[in-house]
Amino acid sequence: MKKEMKNLAIGASMAAALVLGSCSGGGTSTFGTYQSPSITVAHFLDSLNYVDGANPLNESELELDINQTIRSAIPGEDDYFVIWDALYGEYKAFSLQYLRSIVYYDFYRNNFDATAQEFRDIEVDDILNGDVNGEATGTDYEVVTEEFDAFGNFLWFEGVNSFEIYEDETETKDVALMAGRAQSEDFIRRSAKLSMSMKLPFDTAKALVSLGDTANEMLKKGSSKGELTQADQDALTKGMLEFTGTSMTEILEASVDEDKKEVVLDKIADKIGVSSQRIEAELLPMFNIK
């Protein structure tokens, strides 16, 4: 019924366009190239399901709206959203500005169904050209994958082509907060790498990477000023004890004494739940510790 009603509506619009064209004296229809500059995420999803012939049990669905994606919060980026694409059985991210720029052939502007159909046609062409995961750079649209930590907890959607992160593990909805987080994607990636390689809980991995970053910043500041302040030293000591179970003194002694190094590695291993061999082989190099 929905398809029949839409076909009737489209037919009526075409007929009206033809009549108006002939009444104006030109005698021609208004068929030509158009865009849908006012299409919304909801419009696109509705039309995509329509042109795909989806049924209620197998429809494409919205996963993240434009105000829920980290990438949208990055200055200079488009407004991106993520859907479950039921037709291809995968997650995809789209630029709303890209969809609004799609040119299609029809009788009128803002034909959302025509925009959706034109996108599917573009997508098929991309696949035939070898771009099976979407537009090559991921700027317009791309397939995204679900990323998990070592314990199977969902972290974020990540672009297959762009490697952009579309959502962090906290599923935050505050755009201002996400904008700040967007500037720390490197921190998230390093934490995820540490979590997966060391089989650590993601929160523990973040804490360790944060501790390493804090120590590096303080050491840089100490180098420029001649020495660390007492407050800096206290903060580092507290952080060291909290996350590794060792003090700064022990760390410094371990750097020049092989026996003490083994003791410190064992203490850290007990604290975070991995072997001392793995810490020495994988963790210390990440912090540039010999």
Side-chain angles (χ1 to χ4, degrees):
M1 178 63 72
K2 179 180 179 183
K3 184 175 181 181
E4 291 176 357
M5 291 180 67
K6 286 207 172 190
N7 285 339
L8 286 172
I10 292 171
S13 297
M14 289 181 176
L18 288 170
V19 170
L20 289 173
S22 62
C23 288
S24 67
T28 59
S29 73
T30 57
F31 185 83
T33 58
Y34 292 92
Q35 294 170 292
S36 295
S38 64
I39 195 170
T40 65
V41 174
H43 291 148
F44 176 69
L45 261 179
D46 181 62
S47 291
L48 194 66
N49 282 317
Y50 169 66
V51 301
D52 289 345
N55 62 67
L57 299 179
N58 188 35
E59 289 189 333
S60 295
E61 297 178 343
L62 181 65
E63 295 292 327
L64 294 172
D65 211 335
I66 58 176
N67 65 336
Q68 297 173 318
T69 55
I70 284 182
R71 192 175 182 185
S72 296
I74 299 175
E77 287 280 10
D78 287 353
D79 293 317
Y80 288 91
F81 61 96
V82 176
I83 71 166
W84 166 253
D85 186 343
L87 183 65
Y88 286 95
E90 57 195 8
Y91 294 102
K92 283 193 177 82
F94 292 86
S95 159
L96 185 59
Q97 284 74 14
Y98 162 67
L99 295 176
R100 289 173 174 174
S101 73
I102 288 178
V103 175
Y104 57 83
Y105 292 89
D106 204 272
F107 283 85
Y108 61 99
R109 192 180 191 220
N110 278 327
N111 183 340
F112 304 145
D113 292 346
T115 296
Q117 184 59 63
E118 185 64 26
F119 165 72
R120 284 302 193 199
D121 293 343
I122 292 170
E123 185 175 36
V124 169
D125 288 341
D126 286 344
I127 292 171
L128 293 176
N129 287 328
D131 294 323
V132 296
N133 291 313
E135 186 269 325
T137 65
T139 303
D140 297 337
Y141 79 98
E142 66 177 332
V143 173
V144 298
T145 57
E146 294 179 289
E147 299 299 316
F148 300 88
D149 67 15
F151 296 86
N153 300 309
F154 174 74
L155 297 175
W156 55 67
F157 290 107
E158 183 170 319
V160 173
N161 290 338
S162 70
F163 301 107
E164 292 283 353
I165 292 174
Y166 290 88
E167 177 190 38
D168 69 3
E169 83 288 350
T170 61
E171 298 183 3
T172 181
K173 302 299 186 287
D174 183 82
V175 174
L177 179 59
M178 287 194 296
R181 296 245 178 166
Q183 298 171 5
S184 304
E185 286 190 11
D186 178 63
F187 169 80
I188 296 174
R189 291 182 193 280
R190 285 185 291 134
S191 300
K193 181 180 177 181
L194 180 62
S195 172
M196 289 184 281
S197 66
M198 299 290 293
K199 301 292 190 293
L200 292 174
F202 191 59
D203 286 343
T204 300
K206 286 194 300 181
L208 286 168
V209 173
S210 179
L211 177 61
D213 287 351
T214 300
N216 284 331
E217 287 301 315
M218 288 184 176
L219 290 172
K220 288 178 184 177
K221 185 172 68 172
S223 297
S224 64
K225 293 185 176 181
E227 62 180 9
L228 289 176
T229 65
Q230 187 59 50
D232 287 342
Q233 293 179 50
D234 291 344
L236 280 176
T237 299
K238 180 180 178 182
M240 230 20 120
L241 286 171
E242 183 176 354
F243 296 119
T244 69
T246 59
S247 68
M248 185 64 71
T249 300
E250 289 175 299
I251 292 290
L252 292 173
E253 290 176 347
S255 67
V256 295
D257 188 316
E258 196 64 29
D259 291 335
K260 290 183 177 180
K261 177 181 177 181
E262 290 184 14
V263 173
V264 167
L265 288 177
D266 287 340
K267 289 182 71 172
I268 297 175
D270 289 340
K271 179 69 175 179
I272 65 177
V274 299
S275 70
S276 59
Q277 290 80 11
R278 294 197 70 189
I279 291 174
E280 186 169 16
E282 300 178 44
L283 178 60
L284 298 189
M286 292 187 69
F287 292 101
N288 297 315
I289 299 173
K290 303 297 184 184

Coordinates of all heavy atoms in Angstrom, one line a residue, residues 8 25-26 40 49 54 100 150 179 199-200 230 233 249:
L8 N 1.5 6.8 -6.8 CA 0.4 7.7 -7.2 C 0.9 9.1 -7.0 O 0.6 10.0 -7.8 CB -0.8 7.4 -6.4 CG -1.6 6.1 -6.8 CD1 -2.7 5.9 -5.8 CD2 -2.2 6.3 -8.2
G25 N 3.7 28.2 -21.5 CA 4.0 28.6 -22.9 C 5.2 27.8 -23.4 O 5.5 27.8 -24.6
G26 N 6.0 27.2 -22.5 CA 7.2 26.5 -23.0 C 6.9 25.2 -23.7 O 7.6 24.8 -24.6
T40 N 16.9 15.1 5.7 CA 17.4 14.8 7.1 C 17.8 13.4 7.2 O 17.5 12.6 6.3 CB 16.3 15.2 8.1 OG1 15.2 14.3 8.0 CG2 15.8 16.6 8.0
N49 N 14.9 2.6 3.1 CA 14.1 1.4 3.3 C 13.0 1.2 2.2 O 12.8 0.1 1.8 CB 13.4 1.5 4.7 CG 14.4 1.1 5.8 OD1 15.2 0.2 5.7 ND2 14.4 1.9 6.9
A54 N 12.5 -2.8 1.9 CA 12.7 -3.5 3.2 C 11.3 -3.8 3.8 O 10.3 -3.1 3.6 CB 13.5 -2.6 4.1
R100 N 23.1 15.5 0.8 CA 22.4 16.7 0.3 C 22.9 17.2 -1.0 O 22.3 18.0 -1.8 CB 22.4 17.8 1.3 CG 21.5 17.6 2.5 CD 21.7 18.6 3.7 NE 20.7 18.3 4.7 CZ 20.7 19.0 5.9 NH1 21.6 19.9 6.1 NH2 19.7 18.7 6.8
A150 N 39.7 -6.1 25.0 CA 40.1 -7.5 25.1 C 39.1 -8.3 25.8 O 39.2 -9.6 25.7 CB 41.5 -7.5 25.9
A179 N 33.8 17.0 21.5 CA 34.7 17.8 20.8 C 36.1 17.7 21.5 O 37.1 17.6 20.8 CB 34.3 19.2 20.7
K199 N 45.8 -7.7 27.1 CA 44.6 -8.4 27.7 C 44.2 -7.7 29.0 O 43.9 -8.3 30.0 CB 44.9 -9.9 28.0 CG 45.3 -10.7 26.7 CD 44.1 -10.8 25.8 CE 44.4 -11.8 24.6 NZ 45.4 -11.3 23.7
L200 N 44.2 -6.3 28.9 CA 43.9 -5.5 30.1 C 42.5 -5.0 30.0 O 42.0 -4.8 28.9 CB 44.8 -4.4 30.3 CG 46.3 -4.6 30.6 CD1 47.1 -3.3 30.5 CD2 46.4 -5.2 32.0
Q230 N 57.6 20.1 44.0 CA 57.2 19.1 44.9 C 55.8 18.5 44.6 O 55.5 17.3 44.8 CB 57.2 19.6 46.3 CG 57.0 18.6 47.4 CD 58.0 17.5 47.4 OE1 59.2 17.8 47.4 NE2 57.6 16.2 47.4
Q233 N 56.1 16.0 41.8 CA 56.6 14.8 42.3 C 55.6 14.0 43.1 O 55.5 12.8 43.0 CB 57.9 15.1 43.2 CG 59.0 15.6 42.4 CD 60.2 15.9 43.3 OE1 60.6 15.1 44.1 NE2 60.8 17.1 43.2
T249 N 60.6 6.1 43.5 CA 61.9 5.7 43.9 C 62.3 4.3 43.4 O 63.4 4.1 43.0 CB 62.0 5.8 45.5 OG1 61.7 7.1 45.9 CG2 63.4 5.4 46.0

